[in-house]
Structure formats: structure tokens, C-alpha cells
Amino acid sequence: HGGDDPVCIGSDAESGRLSAEVQDTGPGIEASELVHVFEAFRQVGGAASRPFEGTGLGLTIARDIAQAMGGDISIRSTVGMGTCALFTALLPTADSPVDAAQPASPEQLSATGCLCRVLIAEDDDVNAVIATAYLEHIGVSAERVNDGRQAVRHALREVDRPDLVLMDCRMPIMDGMAATREIRAKERSLGLPRVPVIALTATTSDINRQLCLNAGMDDFMSKPYSFEEMTCRVNQNLEMLELVDRLHHLANVDSLTGLYNRRHFFEQGGVRHGSAKNAAQPVVVAMLDIDHFKSINDRFGHANGDIVIRFVADYLRKHFPDALIARIGGEEFALFSESHTVEVLRPRLEAFRELLPLNTAEGMPEEIKVTISIGIHGGHNDNLNALLHVADQRLYEAKAQGRNRLVG
């Protein structure tokens, strides 16, 4: 600190708090106006000889950034003597460059579940800096794009798809509402899960809110927004996303085996079949049924029956990682593949069938030797139900011929 210095900087090593005080010798600000200096779009101290400049957002944005850093900005002023501004922030002491460990990349943090990924679609640099600072302060990884077209590409990418999008409504090339409509349309056509979109808008009129909802947005934040509001809305939407994911899992996954259930198989299989048909790719389906399963239940009990079902499911998952597999009822499973022809998939299924009785699951009685019957069918033009109907007929032929065999 210097007694007459216009800028004084200090720090507290124990708390990590840094302070910077700036003093001027200007005309000062009236007390009646001083209470309004942090209000958005509000300017004080203007006169005919010095008209207002800027938009009146500078101090609002500066204080928001300071608060996002765990500090604040305060101002005191005396008319005729000048104004003093005090800035504080929490800046913990850093390790020396030699000793400091390399920080984890966003990809590493995301892979370990430490960070969520939020995409900021914002063409204004200052607004983007504020949003990024807010998000990083609450431990969220932020990525920024400048227009709606980029937002669509990033929101739909296969790798590191964002968990949430902050979408400015007014942007060049493509505005936020058009971008959101395109994202929703692609999610439906590609069978992708819905990514939450929060609108960033300068107006909160009922008409504007309705337009945002009609475009497929999930929530709103009006500019300028506070750190507290962003924290609340982002956390609320991420919690809702987690809840939706859990419900989606319960609705689509078989609880005993962890494989997909009948509902998901027909829904996702239909989407994949349609894509393969448009690309003139052949598809293959197979129906599989555990032999003599009722006898296993009757002789060894339902607990061991469950072990057998899980064993077969795990074995299917291991041998066909590139296929859509589901438990569609009882001891029956279905397999769908657009990656191989019948000629390629048949020997893989035969190898699976032959190896199955040579293996056992942990806790399964040694007397149980699991065998399976399989029906397989492939084609180009038939719909999924028609393909499965033929595969199911061939499964019954395999049963009728003595079980533990593949037909098709």
C-alpha cells in the first residue's frame, strides 16, 4: 500500500483474498445517484457538456465477474473530491510452475464424471466471458460457439456431446430459435436423447417465452442474469436431465440382464432398419431361446434360472458387441445387425452356440449345461416385424429338430 497511490493492491495469503482499490480525483457522484451505479442500463453523472456514453452495463458486468470469483465491487464517492472503487476476489496461492501438477484436460475430467459439459452459443464476447466464468466457478466445463449453425453441429456431434446448451436467441447466420428447432428435428430422426436448451434472451415477454417453448427450448434466462440465477437454472436442468436419463434407463433396459428390453429393441431396431434400408444395406435378425428352461427352473429353482439368463445375456454381449441385443421375454432373446450379412453372422452364431454349454457362470450348479436354439433371417426390403417373424419360425424349426441348433 502507498499512502497517496491512486491504485492500492493487497492480499491475504491465509484466505486467498485479493483486493484492489482505485481512487480518482474527479467530480464525484451524488449520494442519490451512487445507489444506482450497479443497475443495468442505468447511467449517472451525465450532463449536457458530457453526454452519456456506452450502454450502462459496464459496472453490472464487472460486479458479476467479481462475484463469480468469490468477491465483489463496491464504490464510495464524495462530490468535489472523487470516487474510490474497491475490487475483491478469492485467488488462492498457486504452486510454483516447477512443482505444479499439470491440470486435467476437460476430456479427462468429463471421463471421470467431475465435470458436465455446457455449450454456450453466444456471439457477444463479453456475455460469453461472463457465462464461462459463472460455469467454471461451479465446476462445469464450458465451450463457446459464435452462431446457431455451429451450435447445431456441436450439439449433435457423436463425441463429447454437451449435457446442456445455453442458446442466445439473437445470433448471426442462424438465430437461437432456428438452431433449437433443427437440433430437436435431428434428435428425433437420429434417435438421440434430448439435450436441454436454456434460452438467453433480452426480453422476457410472454410472447417471447412462448416462441422459445415452441422452438423446443426448455428454460429461459433474461440478460443481464446473475450468478445465482445461472447456478440455479443450470443445476435444475442438469438434475432434470439426470432424472430423465434414469427414467429412460428404466423404460428401455431389462433389470435382470442389463440388456435392452423388448420396447427398446423394436423402437431402436426400427430406426436402424430404416437407415439401413435407405442406404441399401442388408440387415440380419436372429431369435434365440434357452433350451429346456422350464426344467431348469423346476429342478434348480428360479434363483438359478435367473443366473442362467444373466449368463446367456453376458455371453451374447461379449460375442456380439456390434449388434443390438435385447431380452424380449422370459428366456428369449433377439439380435439385430446391419453390419454383417447372414453368411458372415451365421458362423459367429454357430460358434456362440457351440461354446455356450462348455462354460458356466459363477454360482451356477455344475449339472446345468446351457444350450440354445437359434433362428436367423436376413434381407433388404422386408420390415423389421416381417424379418423377425421369419426368424421366429426358424427358431421353432430348430426346437422341433431337437434343440441346440441354428436354422436359417
Side-chain angles (χ1 to χ4, degrees), residues 284-289 291 316 320 335 341-354 371-378 390-408:
V284 181
V285 298
M287 296 291 292
L288 307 92
D289 189 87
D291 295 327
L316 277 168
F320 303 98
L335 180 150
T341 62
V342 170
E343 290 72 26
V344 172
L345 200 59
R346 185 186 292 115
R348 288 180 60 188
L349 283 166
E350 278 286 20
F352 167 81
R353 181 190 62 79
E354 291 171 357
T371 64
I372 200 161
S373 299
I374 306 171
I376 184 173
H377 180 58
V390 175
D392 201 40
Q393 287 181 323
R394 291 177 175 175
L395 169 62
Y396 279 98
E397 289 177 27
K399 293 281 190 182
Q401 292 174 22
R403 295 182 171 82
N404 190 22
R405 64 193 64 217
L406 183 149
V407 173

Side-chain angles (χ1 to χ4, degrees), residues 155-185:
L156 296 172
R157 65 190 178 194
E158 291 185 16
V159 179
D160 290 336
R161 191 175 181 222
D163 300 300
L164 183 143
V165 179
L166 299 180
M167 185 77 76
D168 185 21
C169 289
R170 292 180 179 271
M171 289 185 290
I173 303 177
M174 175 184 282
D175 66 40
M177 293 189 189
T180 303
R181 282 193 290 270
E182 185 163 334
I183 290 169
R184 297 303 182 223

Side-chain angles (χ1 to χ4, degrees), residues 194-210:
R194 180 187 177 99
V195 60
V197 177
I198 300 178
L200 305 178
T201 174
T203 174
T204 56
S205 67
D206 290 341
I207 293 176
N208 191 64
R209 287 175 178 267
Q210 187 62 50

Side-chain angles (χ1 to χ4, degrees), residues 95-102:
D95 295 328
S96 66
V98 175
D99 300 329
Q102 290 296 317

Side-chain angles (χ1 to χ4, degrees), residues 160-312:
D160 290 336
R161 191 175 181 222
D163 300 300
L164 183 143
V165 179
L166 299 180
M167 185 77 76
D168 185 21
C169 289
R170 292 180 179 271
M171 289 185 290
I173 303 177
M174 175 184 282
D175 66 40
M177 293 189 189
T180 303
R181 282 193 290 270
E182 185 163 334
I183 290 169
R184 297 303 182 223
K186 292 290 187 182
E187 287 173 339
R188 287 191 294 270
S189 65
L190 298 173
L192 296 173
R194 180 187 177 99
V195 60
V197 177
I198 300 178
L200 305 178
T201 174
T203 174
T204 56
S205 67
D206 290 341
I207 293 176
N208 191 64
R209 287 175 178 267
Q210 187 62 50
L211 290 172
C212 290
L213 289 173
N214 290 342
M217 294 173 169
D218 301 281
D219 206 348
F220 324 84
M221 283 198 299
S222 59
K223 303 175 186 178
Y225 43 80
S226 66
F227 171 69
E228 290 78 13
E229 181 182 10
M230 174 175 278
T231 301
C232 178
R233 293 194 183 277
V234 167
N235 285 338
Q236 185 179 53
N237 278 274
L238 290 176
E239 288 170 4
M240 184 63 69
L241 176 65
E242 182 181 356
L243 178 60
V244 169
D245 285 344
R246 288 171 59 192
L247 291 173
H248 185 269
H249 180 85
L250 291 172
N252 292 281
V253 175
D254 175 59
S255 60
L256 177 62
T257 64
L259 294 177
Y260 289 121
N261 59 20
R262 181 185 186 91
R263 175 189 174 280
H264 182 85
F265 181 85
F266 280 94
E267 181 180 278
Q268 191 61 31
V271 172
R272 290 172 62 166
H273 178 268
S275 298
K277 189 174 181 179
N278 291 336
Q281 284 183 302
V283 299
V284 181
V285 298
M287 296 291 292
L288 307 92
D289 189 87
I290 301 172
D291 295 327
H292 304 292
F293 184 73
K294 185 177 183 303
S295 298
I296 293 173
N297 266 341
D298 291 344
R299 182 179 175 189
F300 298 98
H302 290 281
N304 282 309
D306 288 348
I307 292 175
V308 169
I309 289 174
R310 284 195 294 266
F311 164 64
V312 173

